[in-house]
Amino acid sequence: MYRNSWLPEVFNDFLNTANMPKTNATAPAINVLESEKEYTVELAAPGLSKEDFDVNINSDGDLTIKMEKKAEESEQKAHYLRREFAYSKYEQTLILPDDVQKEHIAARVNNGVLTVVLPKIQVQKEKVARQIAVD
């Protein structure tokens, strides 16, 4: 597949959420996919719109995803018996692999999923063709 011997260790840090600060005890589910040309991070965000997100590269070159849903006042008299996907505030910082083109990262929200595309640096392998002189 597209695996290098160093990749699992990089993504252990990339996906290790135990040491990353969160502002809410309930964290949204995250998927990370890899293809030849890019990594894709998907974050479950039911009921949120693009205005609820702040996605940026911080001064250390890490990807920071913040989301905050402002609570709307309602006159609803019922109360939740169980509520698991009410993310009022969430922040996650992901340490990016070295092969990400940070200036070309893109994000979109569609059908309750924030998708962040992290294009890989494409290394052109030069074919060395030359005439060799015979002495």
Side-chain angles (χ1 to χ4, degrees), residues 115-130:
T115 302
V116 182
V117 178
L118 310 161
K120 291 182 179 180
I121 296 170
Q122 299 299 313
V123 178
Q124 299 281 337
K125 292 186 179 180
E126 292 184 29
K127 295 181 180 181
V128 180
R130 66 181 182 96

Side-chain angles (χ1 to χ4, degrees), residues 5 8 10 16 22 50 56 70 83 94-95 109 127 135:
S5 61
V10 168
N16 182 3
K22 294 187 181 94
K50 67 180 186 176
N56 65 67
K70 305 288 188 220
R83 188 173 187 178
L94 304 172
I95 300 167
V109 176
K127 295 181 180 181
D135 292 328

Side-chain angles (χ1 to χ4, degrees), residues 7 49 79 124:
L7 194 57
S49 64
H79 68 279
Q124 299 281 337

